Amino acid sequence: MSDSNTTDFTNPSTFILLGIPGLEAAHVWISIPFCAMYIIAVLGNFTILFIVKREPRLHEPMYYFLCMLATSDLVVSTSIMPKMLCIFWFNSREMYFSACLTQMYFIHCFSAMESGIFVAMAFDRYVAICNPLRHSTTLTNPVVAKIGLTVVLRGIMLILPYPFLARRWPYCRTNIIPHSYCEHMAMVKLACADVRISSYYSLSVAFLVMGLDVFFIAMSYIQVLRAIFSLPTKDARLKTFGTCGSHLFVILASYIPALFSFLTHRFGHNVPLHFHILIASAYVLVPPMLHPVIYGVRTKQIRDRLLRLLTHKGI
């Protein structure tokens, strides 16, 4: 009997997600803003996809990349939020081992894709502002399709080892994950084996994806800012800077919490666990909510098309 139980526990059929440890009594209250953010994210991103599909004038590189970002946001937030709400509302904490691995893969895979989309959007802004006459010949539909395919394949291939490595470890300590979703390092820390391969690989992927992407984005926007400050009129500078400023805000809102969570897993032993989990939960929900609001509201073509659609339905 003892051997059988040990074997079952070494390869658990389910994991137990604690939600936000230490704040269990406040789960229902925490769920209210999280649920509101998820609803805004779903409605906003579906609206972006619908408007771009319906409006032929928006069939341009910038809006194609925006649709990719909206799709990525929908997948990441939907991979997490339904189960998180079940934990908060119904105390349903069990999650099958295979479902946990699947959730982990989708979260990290589409987050990596999202980072690549930011690079593509920064490149689009660079060409549009620094070489506007070459924009239509540089970013043709075949080129945009190749960029999109590269972003997708990079995310798929880089994150593919995560679930395979996590599946091979024995989990003989506990099957309780002190997190609100199946995050990679939160799972790996439960293994009672030498997990340096997983740790080093995830560290390499983080630096490869986040490090290189941030570098390319920074280089693009440095050139963009130089071009903006060389514009002849103040109004032109303010208008162009306003557009790029909103893009930079979205990028920072996505990278800073992700970097905080990543570093806390490895070095932030003095950071309260509930604070870390709150930030980790927020960074997969806040950006998907912000993206359609900022890109939709601040993009005149999308805003005008939405107003025409609402006005027509009102009539």
Side-chain angles (χ1 to χ4, degrees):
M1 180 70 71
S2 176
D3 293 341
S4 175
N5 288 339
T6 303
T7 303
D8 290 338
F9 196 63
T10 302
N11 300 284
S13 59
T14 60
F15 280 111
I16 307 297
L17 294 167
L18 295 184
I20 302 177
L23 297 179
E24 288 86 355
H27 273 177
V28 174
W29 296 106
I30 294 170
S31 72
I32 295 173
F34 278 18
C35 185
M37 285 189 288
Y38 178 62
I39 291 171
I40 294 171
V42 170
L43 292 177
N45 285 295
F46 270 121
T47 300
I48 294 288
L49 294 171
F50 176 77
I51 288 176
V52 173
K53 184 178 184 299
R54 288 286 299 271
E55 183 58 63
R57 290 185 302 172
L58 300 182
H59 294 176
E60 298 176 0
M62 173 184 172
Y63 302 105
Y64 292 145
F65 294 140
L66 188 55
C67 285
M68 290 181 63
L69 185 64
T71 303
S72 175
D73 284 339
L74 286 169
V75 172
V76 171
S77 57
T78 304
S79 297
I80 294 171
M81 201 59 212
K83 182 58 183 178
M84 193 184 297
L85 290 178
C86 286
I87 297 171
F88 291 165
W89 290 346
F90 310 114
N91 203 32
S92 175
R93 300 181 175 189
E94 287 193 355
M95 194 168 189
Y96 287 114
F97 183 62
S98 57
C100 210
L101 292 178
T102 303
Q103 186 191 59
M104 177 189 71
Y105 178 74
F106 273 93
I107 292 168
H108 291 287
C109 177
F110 280 86
S111 295
M113 290 183 197
E114 191 168 287
S115 183
I117 295 166
F118 284 140
V119 177
M121 295 176 80
F123 177 66
D124 173 73
R125 291 300 86 201
Y126 163 74
V127 177
I129 294 173
C130 299
N131 295 288
L133 298 178
R134 299 179 57 187
H135 185 263
S136 59
T137 57
T138 302
L139 285 170
T140 60
N141 285 342
V143 170
V144 171
K146 289 176 183 177
I147 293 174
L149 183 62
T150 301
V151 167
V152 170
L153 290 178
R154 186 189 72 157
I156 291 173
M157 298 308 296
L158 284 177
I159 306 302
L160 195 59
Y162 277 23
F164 287 103
L165 288 172
R167 181 179 286 277
R168 62 179 290 194
W169 307 127
Y171 296 91
C172 56
R173 292 174 182 165
T174 179
N175 65 336
I176 298 174
I177 301 178
H179 212 297
S180 55
Y181 57 88
C182 295
E183 202 271 342
H184 177 247
M185 285 308 300
M187 282 188 65
V188 170
K189 283 182 177 180
L190 302 183
C192 52
D194 186 355
V195 295
R196 283 181 294 180
I197 295 175
S198 282
S199 183
Y200 291 154
Y201 182 75
S202 65
L203 194 65
S204 302
V205 168
F207 279 114
L208 179 65
V209 172
M210 192 177 294
L212 285 179
D213 288 355
V214 169
F215 173 77
F216 287 128
I217 290 169
M219 291 297 102
S220 296
Y221 276 104
I222 287 172
Q223 296 301 316
V224 166
L225 290 174
R226 288 178 60 186
I228 289 173
F229 289 120
S230 67
L231 292 173
T233 64
K234 183 179 179 180
D235 288 343
R237 288 196 295 270
L238 289 175
K239 182 178 179 181
T240 310
F241 185 78
T243 302
C244 293
S246 62
H247 289 203
L248 284 172
F249 174 76
V250 167
I251 290 169
L252 291 174
S254 299
Y255 280 120
I256 291 176
L259 182 62
F260 173 84
S261 179
F262 172 78
L263 293 176
T264 302
H265 264 305
R266 288 162 175 80
F267 312 111
H269 304 297
N270 296 324
V271 177
L273 182 59
H274 66 271
F275 181 73
H276 174 207
I277 304 305
L278 271 174
I279 296 296
S281 301
Y283 95 76
V284 293
L285 289 173
V286 173
M289 177 194 68
L290 287 178
H291 295 163
V293 173
I294 292 177
Y295 285 117
V297 172
R298 293 191 62 86
T299 304
K300 185 177 185 299
Q301 292 87 337
I302 292 178
R303 187 173 65 246
D304 291 347
R305 184 67 178 86
L306 180 60
L307 289 173
R308 287 205 309 273
L309 184 65
L310 294 175
T311 304
H312 178 72
K313 284 192 174 182
I315 295 173

